[in-house]
């Protein structure tokens, strides 16, 4: 297509006379019969406009004015953004110099973290006490991601188009199932309980050492995946259905929201949670950190297994 034709279509699109999506579904950008008719109608309207005293010069001036305004707004926006970025860079400390304020927060975490949070693990005290609201947002992101994947991949009569019998055809498809393998089942009987116990240990010990909700939930999610691989979806669906998975995630996120949502009303200045911090190093220590770790771990485990199940068979479990 010639440059002149592209230019003509672009100007007609700006005037609302041309649809850029026209003929896209047919794989062609050439004008069709309907386009020719519309072009003829537009031409007649232009003739009427000329007859009524509206000249083409006026239309051209309006178009030129629009371009000038558009160009001016674009230039001003770019200059403003560049100015904000340069001003931010100017406030940074010089190369080789240390910014005293940059270490105030980290020093507070290190020097007073154990006393104020009751957690031996500084990282757990930071993400589930000082910055617990950030972790709440991350947990909600996981839950929202699971919902989006479910909307896209779940196979049922509500979201499958049956006009071409694709729903019934997909239901007849069988995925590769290794749960019938004897070696896999026998190995699963040994390794799955160990994985679950290890995941629970990481989940409950997050305030005292490496671990916590995200890592413990990842181990539990991996345990559910291996459990399904060894024993099949039928056994998993008997105890862990879609409703159970969503209910666990909902209760966990609701508890987390109510437990830390008070910062909206009372101020985010490390308010006391009125729960005894316990003895540092003990299982029941850290105040709210332990239950929050459990809540985050359950959300992570349900999300991991939900992704796996949806990608493999198109549903989380029986309802």
């Amino acid at each position: 297509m010639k440059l002149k034709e592209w230019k003509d279509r672009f100007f007609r699109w700006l005037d609302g006379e041309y649809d850029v999506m026209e003929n896209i579904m047919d794989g062609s950008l050439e004008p069709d019969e309907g386009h020719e008719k519309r072009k003829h109608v537009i031409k007649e309207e232009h003739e009427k406009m000329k007859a009524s005293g509206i000249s083409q010069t006026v239309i051209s001036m309006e178009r030129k004015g629009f371009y000038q305004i558009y160009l001016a707004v674009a230039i001003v926006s770019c200059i403003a953004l560049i100015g904000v970025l340069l001003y931010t860079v100017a406030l940074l400390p010089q190369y080789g110099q240390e910014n005293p304020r940059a270490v105030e927060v980290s020093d507070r975490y290190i020097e007073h973290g154990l006393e104020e949070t009751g957690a031996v693990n500084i990282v757990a005290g930071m993400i589930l006490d000082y910055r617990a609201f950030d972790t709440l947002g991350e947990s909600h992101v996981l839950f929202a991601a699971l919902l989006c994947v479910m909307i896209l991949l779940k196979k049922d009569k509500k979201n499958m188009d049956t006009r071409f019998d694709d729903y019934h055809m997909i239901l007849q498809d069988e995925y590769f199932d290794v749960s019938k393998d004897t070696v896999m089942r026998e190995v699963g009987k040994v390794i799955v309980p160990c994985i679950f116990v290890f995941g629970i240990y990481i989940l409950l010990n997050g305030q005292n050492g490496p671990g916590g909700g995200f890592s413990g939930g990842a181990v539990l999610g991996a345990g559910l995946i291996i459990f399904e691989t060894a024993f099949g979806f039928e056994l998993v669906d008997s105890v862990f259905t879609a409703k159970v998975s969503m209910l666990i995630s909902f209760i966990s996120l609701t508890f987390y929201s109510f437990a830390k949502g008070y910062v909206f009303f009372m101020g985010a200045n490390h308010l006391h949670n009125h729960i005894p911090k316990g003895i540092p190093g003990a299982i029941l220590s850290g105040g709210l950190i332990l239950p929050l770790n459990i809540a985050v771990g359950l959300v992570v485990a349900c999300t991991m297994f939900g992704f796996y199940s949806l990608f493999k068979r198109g549903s989380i479990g029986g309802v």
Side-chain angles (χ1 to χ4, degrees):
M1 183 180 295
K2 298 181 179 180
L3 179 61
K4 185 177 180 181
E5 295 180 3
W6 278 107
K7 184 178 179 181
D8 179 64
R9 288 190 178 185
F10 177 72
F11 285 130
R12 287 193 291 112
W13 171 71
L14 290 177
D15 294 334
E17 301 170 357
Y18 177 68
D19 184 10
V20 294
M21 296 302 295
E22 186 178 23
N23 298 323
I24 292 298
M25 298 303 295
D26 297 333
S28 173
L29 293 176
E30 298 300 326
D32 56 2
E33 184 178 355
H35 174 69
E36 294 296 333
K37 292 181 180 179
R38 288 191 294 272
K39 186 176 181 180
H40 180 69
V41 173
I42 293 172
K43 185 177 180 180
E44 291 181 353
E45 292 180 354
H46 278 292
E47 295 295 336
K48 292 180 181 179
M49 292 171 62
K50 290 181 180 180
S52 61
I54 302 178
S55 63
Q56 189 68 25
T57 305
V58 176
I59 299 176
S60 178
M61 293 177 60
E62 292 179 352
R63 181 182 300 165
K64 186 177 180 181
F66 169 78
Y67 286 139
Q68 291 177 349
I69 295 175
Y70 177 82
L71 183 61
V73 172
I75 293 175
V76 171
S77 301
C78 291
I79 293 176
L81 178 60
I82 293 173
V84 171
L85 294 177
L86 291 177
Y87 178 73
T88 304
V89 173
L91 296 178
L92 295 176
Q94 297 295 327
Y95 181 78
Q97 295 181 356
E98 183 179 357
N99 186 2
R101 293 188 176 182
V103 297
E104 288 182 1
V105 177
S106 59
D107 289 343
R108 177 62 177 266
Y109 293 160
I110 297 173
E111 296 174 2
H112 303 282
L114 179 61
E115 177 185 355
E116 295 178 346
T117 67
V120 178
N121 184 2
I122 299 177
V123 176
M126 179 182 66
I127 66 175
L128 290 173
D129 193 289
Y130 291 111
R131 304 186 61 179
F133 200 74
D134 296 347
T135 308
L136 175 62
E138 297 170 2
S139 302
H140 277 84
V141 168
L142 292 175
F143 185 68
L146 178 60
L147 294 180
C148 293
V149 174
M150 183 182 299
I151 292 173
L152 293 174
L153 298 182
K154 187 177 181 181
K155 296 185 294 189
D156 57 19
K157 294 182 179 180
K158 295 181 180 180
N159 62 1
M160 295 298 296
D161 188 359
T162 59
R163 289 181 299 174
F164 303 101
D165 296 330
D166 53 356
Y167 173 70
H168 302 287
M169 180 179 64
I170 292 176
L171 285 183
Q172 294 175 359
D173 292 343
E174 293 185 0
Y175 50 83
F176 182 71
D177 189 6
V178 298
S179 61
K180 299 179 181 179
D181 185 82
T182 304
V183 176
M184 193 67 189
R185 295 179 67 89
E186 295 301 323
V187 172
K189 293 179 181 179
V190 177
I191 194 173
V192 169
C194 298
I195 293 177
F196 281 128
V197 172
F198 182 59
I200 294 173
Y201 167 77
I202 295 177
L203 194 65
L204 300 180
N205 199 51
Q207 71 276 15
N208 298 323
F214 287 102
S215 52
V219 174
L220 292 177
L224 287 172
I225 294 174
I226 297 176
F227 180 74
E228 183 282 324
T229 304
F231 303 103
F233 276 116
E234 294 183 0
L235 183 59
V236 177
D237 292 344
S238 63
V239 293
F240 195 72
T241 63
K243 287 185 177 180
V244 172
S245 175
M246 289 299 175
L247 184 62
I248 292 175
S249 298
F250 174 76
I251 294 176
S252 300
L253 291 176
T254 302
F255 166 75
Y256 199 135
S257 301
F258 279 103
K260 282 297 181 180
Y262 63 84
V263 296
F264 271 134
F265 308 98
M266 304 298 292
N269 295 317
H270 186 66
L271 299 180
H272 298 289
N273 51 38
H274 304 291
I275 296 179
K277 298 181 177 64
I279 301 175
I283 293 295
L284 298 178
S285 62
L288 267 177
I289 294 180
L290 177 59
L292 292 181
N293 261 330
I294 296 175
V296 173
L298 293 176
V299 173
V300 173
C302 292
T303 303
M304 283 187 58
F305 182 74
F307 284 159
Y308 168 79
S309 181
L310 285 167
F311 275 99
K312 186 171 183 178
R313 61 172 181 170
S315 63
I316 293 182
V319 295

